[in-house]
Amino acid sequence: MGLAGSVSFPQFFAGVAFAPPPVLGNDYAVVPAAGAHAVNPWVALAYLVAGVCFIFALRGLSSPATSRKGNRYGMAGMLIAVVTTLVTHDIASLLEIIIAIAIGGSIGFVIARKIAMTDMPQLVAGFHSLVGLAAVLVGWAAYLNPGAFDILAEGVIDPVSRAEMGLGIAIGAITFSGSVIAFLKLAGTMSGAPIMLPARHVINLATLAAIILLTLYFTVDQSVWVIAVITVLAFIIGFLLIIPIGGADMPVVVSMLNSYSGWAAAAMGFTLHNTAMIITGALVGASGAILSYIMCRAMNRSFISVIAGGFGSDGGGSGDAAAKTDRPWKRGSAEDAAFLMKEANQVIIVPGYGMAVAQAQHVLREMGDILKEAGVSVKYAIHPVAGRMPGHMNVLLAEANVPYDEVFELEDINGEFAQTDVVFIIGANDVVNPAARTDKTSPIYGMPVFDVEKAKTIFFVKRSMGGVGYAGVDNDVFYMDQTMMLLSDAKKMVEEINKALAH
Amino acid sequence: MTFIAILSIFVMACFVGYYVVWSVTPALHTPLMAVTNAISSVIIVGALIASAEAGSVVSKWLGLIAVVMASVNIFGGFAVTERMLAMYKKKERSAAPAPKDRG
């Protein structure tokens, strides 16, 4: 970027053009367009205030106690940004805009009310796709009507704005098509298994390179075909990037697309010279990137290997004999669990996504309540990858009225297992597998796991002994002396335990 | 604003984002995603500019469609975040927990 507008550019829609090489420099301000002529300082200030509100919105999330106030800041910021825009632009169609907001707003509001908490990952993916598509549409609108966006310079679109526009449209389109695939996979409409194309790395890299080169070319030739090809290629690459990723890697994908939606908004902010959009874009981009990093770290996977795809395929790992062994294991009953947990000083519950699939969170919370009334200290231990997206399990437990100060993260509770009488594992598997610490050949080696085997007694709720976790590896915890397997549907088992506890 | 001025804001905002997001408690990562979804729809500003001004009919309609999409996200994102955050409760002292099972 940083191309000066001091060279004469071909006329709008002039077809293929051969402009002289642009002069490098950052004297962007010499172009008098770029919104410089009529920017009211109060308007810029209003957008800045909106941006600061968004920072406060995220800051509020540092604790559940301040989080709702943070959300209000976010709403206030959005209101400021929208009202400022409407007040300071010649509105040719206020009625249409109000109708558009009313339509979109009511759809969004109804969805937000009705959505089940287990379906949050697909909801978020769906919302990302809308941000992406909106960015594409805004980019195109700016291209077709540059005057409205103050990005005209000497009759053509300012070249720096063109680069920003090209990038914004490309990132938006990638976000859109990628999120649609992620949505379909998470909603189960499309198989979650990775779909592998031959030579996909070559295809992906070539497409990416083409997008970058075309965006550069767009700065010297603003013909419609350039931007059209960029848009189409970006839709394709978003699709290609996500289809080979599946299974356990989906939380990374959702986080990554979150990041992209931010970068798309930031690129549009550059085009429009709008601080609210730039600040927001940077915040959201950083947020998604950090969440992707946290998810990758929790699975001990590198970001590159996730993007390259293929993990969680049905073949591979689970194929090699599924680790079925004839090692002895003990079967426990609901009465055993009820008796030992009632006698315990401390019980740690390790829930996994299987618990949520069985809809056992409410009966599990009842079990916790009964135990607490009996004077047992009850804690919940949550692994970062326990749900289908970052923090998903926390929301599911919160929905079941589990107080958030009884819920602990991996690093905060891992030291406590040695002083714990009973560990109750329900719907989790890989996150308690000691092979991640000891077995260098294991596919999950290096993944941080709970040290459950240090506890005196382990109850492992599982449907049957046959199935293994996502990674398809056997778990030594099944066969330990202090382990009792509770083989049943998670919800039924907890209900039986609750009955036994009531006596 | 010069390009460098805008770039400076962007780079600084990236740093702010980095530190603010690391301070978000992991328990609230799902609401974080929902609220970032809502605020990234500030892109509605661009959509409003496109649809508000007379000039290009196509651009106006593209803008209006983008307004609808961004509005779904804004209202949906903030509402679902609010709904989730309302669920996070501290331990109640001595108060009897309401045995309400919706599962």
Side-chain angles (χ1 to χ4, degrees):
Chain A
M1 292 201 223
L3 305 171
S6 51
V7 284
S8 66
F9 284 93
Q11 288 300 304
F12 198 43
F13 287 157
V16 182
F18 304 94
V23 187
L24 283 172
N26 50 26
D27 48 345
Y28 185 67
V30 298
V31 184
H37 57 89
V39 169
N40 181 338
W42 292 106
V43 175
L45 194 65
Y47 285 129
L48 183 62
V49 170
V52 172
C53 283
F54 294 144
I55 295 175
F56 279 126
L58 299 199
R59 181 71 194 135
L61 291 173
S62 57
S63 138
T66 56
S67 57
R68 295 181 80 180
K69 212 167 94 192
N71 202 31
R72 306 276 152 75
Y73 269 114
M75 295 180 198
M78 191 59 74
L79 192 68
I80 293 171
V82 169
V83 170
T84 307
T85 312
L86 287 178
V87 168
T88 55
H89 282 82
D90 308 326
I91 300 160
S93 52
L94 184 62
L95 185 67
E96 278 131 307
I97 288 173
I98 289 173
I99 292 172
I101 293 179
I103 294 172
S106 39
I107 295 173
F109 199 73
V110 169
I111 295 174
R113 289 267 121 172
K114 295 223 160 133
I115 192 85
M117 286 299 136
T118 38
D119 294 340
M120 276 309 292
Q122 49 269 45
L123 176 78
V124 166
F127 278 174
H128 287 155
S129 73
L130 294 180
V131 180
L133 195 53
V136 174
L137 296 177
V138 172
W140 270 91
Y143 174 77
L144 296 173
N145 192 8
F149 291 85
D150 281 334
I151 50 175
L152 277 177
E154 296 158 27
V156 293
I157 305 176
D158 177 71
V160 181
S161 296
R162 276 188 246 166
E164 295 158 353
M165 196 186 285
L167 268 182
I169 289 178
I171 303 172
I174 293 173
T175 311
F176 171 72
S177 54
S179 300
V180 167
I181 301 298
F183 172 84
L184 294 176
K185 284 193 171 195
L186 287 163
T189 320
M190 185 176 162
S191 159
I195 299 163
M196 306 295 209
L197 291 179
R200 63 182 195 282
H201 296 309
V202 179
I203 299 174
N204 288 353
L205 287 176
T207 316
L208 272 183
I211 290 173
I212 292 165
L213 290 175
L214 278 169
T215 305
L216 287 176
Y217 180 66
F218 189 50
T219 61
V220 292
D221 175 9
Q222 61 174 28
S223 309
V224 71
W225 71 265
V226 185
I227 194 73
V229 173
I230 291 177
T231 312
V232 171
L233 284 181
F235 277 131
I236 294 173
I237 188 91
F239 176 78
L240 290 177
L241 276 176
I242 307 304
I243 53 165
I245 312 179
D249 285 342
M250 287 314 281
V252 183
V253 171
V254 177
S255 313
M256 186 180 82
L257 292 166
N258 186 32
S259 185
Y260 288 179
S261 70
W263 304 131
M268 283 300 145
F270 272 91
T271 313
L272 306 185
H273 298 212
N274 185 302
T275 39
M277 275 163 100
I278 292 170
I279 294 175
T280 313
L283 291 177
V284 178
S287 159
I290 290 173
L291 291 176
S292 315
Y293 168 77
I294 291 174
M295 287 293 109
C296 285
R297 191 182 55 180
M299 294 190 291
N300 192 38
R301 306 248 295 129
S302 78
F303 189 68
I304 298 293
S305 69
V306 171
I307 298 306
F311 194 70
S313 55
D314 293 323
S318 53
D320 40 24
K324 275 278 255 182
T325 57
D326 298 324
R327 290 151 74 186
W329 50 276
K330 271 183 295 200
R331 185 172 191 146
S333 69
E335 287 73 25
D336 297 334
F339 177 75
L340 280 168
M341 286 198 283
K342 215 168 185 173
E343 297 297 307
N345 284 321
Q346 172 152 296
V347 173
I348 296 181
I349 299 170
V350 182
Y353 195 67
M355 183 274 293
V357 172
Q359 284 291 315
Q361 55 267 49
H362 297 279
V363 287
L364 189 66
R365 194 260 309 152
E366 278 171 34
M367 186 183 96
D369 287 344
I370 300 172
L371 289 173
K372 275 189 280 176
E373 267 168 50
V376 183
S377 150
V378 177
K379 290 178 177 174
Y380 295 80
I382 309 258
H383 195 277
V385 297
R388 280 288 176 277
M389 68 187 286
H392 194 192
M393 187 55 70
N394 301 77
V395 176
L396 295 172
L397 289 180
E399 190 193 19
N401 286 326
V402 173
Y404 63 80
D405 40 6
E406 288 175 10
V407 181
F408 295 87
E409 304 301 319
L410 176 71
E411 55 267 35
D412 298 327
I413 203 161
N414 231 358
E416 285 198 33
F417 285 102
Q419 298 95 37
T420 298
D421 305 292
V422 178
V423 173
F424 190 81
I425 302 164
I426 176 164
N429 190 351
D430 292 337
V431 298
V432 296
N433 194 337
R437 250 177 289 120
T438 52
D439 181 5
K440 282 201 171 137
T441 60
S442 170
I444 58 168
Y445 180 73
M447 174 172 152
V449 290
F450 292 114
D451 302 335
V452 288
E453 68 277 12
K454 290 187 181 153
K456 287 196 196 87
T457 308
I458 300 170
F459 285 103
F460 210 124
V461 183
K462 208 170 173 305
R463 198 172 275 279
S464 70
M465 284 305 284
V468 281
Y470 246 140
V473 280
D474 203 6
N475 193 337
D476 283 339
V477 172
F478 300 159
Y479 316 104
M480 284 176 179
D481 286 340
Q482 75 268 43
T483 304
M484 276 189 248
M485 302 301 294
L486 302 173
L487 299 184
S488 167
D489 171 73
K491 189 176 177 188
K492 241 185 249 156
M493 177 51 73
V494 178
E495 276 167 348
E496 279 172 37
I497 294 173
N498 287 353
K499 242 180 257 161
L501 279 169
H503 294 149
Chain B
M1 258 189 290
T2 65
F3 177 73
I4 285 299
I6 296 177
L7 189 64
S8 311
I9 295 173
F10 176 69
V11 172
M12 293 300 140
C14 284
F15 279 96
V16 171
Y18 180 85
Y19 289 106
V20 169
V21 172
W22 271 118
S23 76
V24 172
T25 168
L28 293 176
H29 276 164
T30 297
L32 170 70
M33 286 189 119
V35 83
T36 51
N37 231 318
I39 65 173
S40 60
S41 300
V42 71
I43 203 156
I44 196 174
V45 167
L48 290 173
I49 296 174
S51 51
E53 226 136 326
S56 157
V57 181
V58 183
S59 146
K60 179 184 150 183
W61 280 100
L62 291 179
L64 281 177
I65 298 170
V67 169
V68 174
M69 288 175 171
S71 305
V72 173
N73 245 339
I74 292 171
F75 285 80
F78 282 125
V80 85
T81 308
E82 192 73 17
R83 198 179 135 202
M84 278 192 277
L85 294 177
M87 293 171 181
Y88 284 80
K89 290 186 198 83
K90 246 188 140 86
K91 213 180 308 196
E92 304 165 45
R93 298 280 166 213
S94 74
K100 188 169 155 246
D101 184 10
R102 287 188 290 158

